[in-house]
Amino acid sequence: MSSTESSTYEGFTAEERAAMKDHAQDQKKAARRASRADKAAQDLQDVLAKIAEMQESDRIMAERVHAVITASAPVLAPKLWYGMPAYALDGKLVCHFQPATKFKTRYATLGFSDQANLDDGAMWAAGFALTEVTAEVEARISALVKQAVS
């Protein structure tokens, strides 16, 4: 059997390994928390701290996305997911914000999980590229999040 460059497995990227490490740390922190209220408060603090650590362009967008999501769908609980701000309903991830710098991409992403009620026929968008958060983008995020939890 011959080997080719295209079939050589090189493993996970440094960014992917870092995301998995973040996820393991998030899970350990969550397991140590006592009450549900303590856990929710600490999860919110963890999300805000993670946003504060971001580079300026990602941080500005993440702050706006966080504000829109928490105002539009207060039933969603902020939490970290693979080191990224995420929002869950009854413990199940509904959406998350992926900063551009996390995986060295040219845009940030607002992603939705299969728990989000965004179904629209046989095919619908589950991820949205963000280069800036304008009033129009905020309105779109608000509508998507409200639909996702309806």
Side-chain angles (χ1 to χ4, degrees), residues 47-145:
V47 167
L48 295 175
K50 186 59 75 172
I51 290 171
E53 292 173 3
M54 293 178 187
Q55 291 182 4
E56 185 177 9
S57 60
D58 284 332
R59 186 181 67 251
I60 291 167
M61 285 191 290
E63 289 170 347
R64 294 304 315 139
V65 167
H66 175 78
V68 170
I69 290 172
T70 55
S72 301
V75 297
L76 292 177
K79 63 185 272 178
L80 289 178
W81 181 68
Y82 290 93
M84 296 177 281
Y87 305 86
L89 180 63
D90 299 327
K92 296 184 181 192
L93 183 78
V94 173
C95 60
H96 72 281
F97 176 83
Q98 179 180 304
T101 55
K102 180 101 176 150
F103 296 104
K104 299 177 183 167
T105 57
R106 65 183 181 94
Y107 51 80
T109 306
L110 176 62
F112 290 87
S113 76
D114 62 330
Q115 299 298 311
N117 296 320
L118 298 178
D119 302 34
D120 183 20
M123 184 173 132
W124 58 89
F128 298 85
L130 296 171
T131 57
E132 67 178 312
V133 179
T134 63
E136 181 181 325
V137 170
E138 286 182 4
R140 180 89 190 272
I141 292 170
S142 177
L144 285 167
V145 171

Side-chain angles (χ1 to χ4, degrees), residues 1-70:
M1 185 168 169
S2 67
S3 66
T4 63
E5 285 185 36
S6 64
S7 66
T8 303
Y9 176 72
E10 295 183 21
F12 295 106
T13 66
E15 292 82 11
E16 290 168 331
R17 285 191 302 277
M20 288 185 282
K21 185 176 178 180
D22 286 342
H23 181 65
Q25 289 174 344
D26 297 343
Q27 296 297 336
K28 286 178 186 177
K29 282 183 191 175
R32 286 187 222 123
R33 297 191 183 121
S35 73
R36 185 172 274 184
D38 289 345
K39 183 177 179 175
Q42 189 58 52
D43 284 346
L44 174 59
Q45 289 304 95
D46 291 346
V47 167
L48 295 175
K50 186 59 75 172
I51 290 171
E53 292 173 3
M54 293 178 187
Q55 291 182 4
E56 185 177 9
S57 60
D58 284 332
R59 186 181 67 251
I60 291 167
M61 285 191 290
E63 289 170 347
R64 294 304 315 139
V65 167
H66 175 78
V68 170
I69 290 172
T70 55

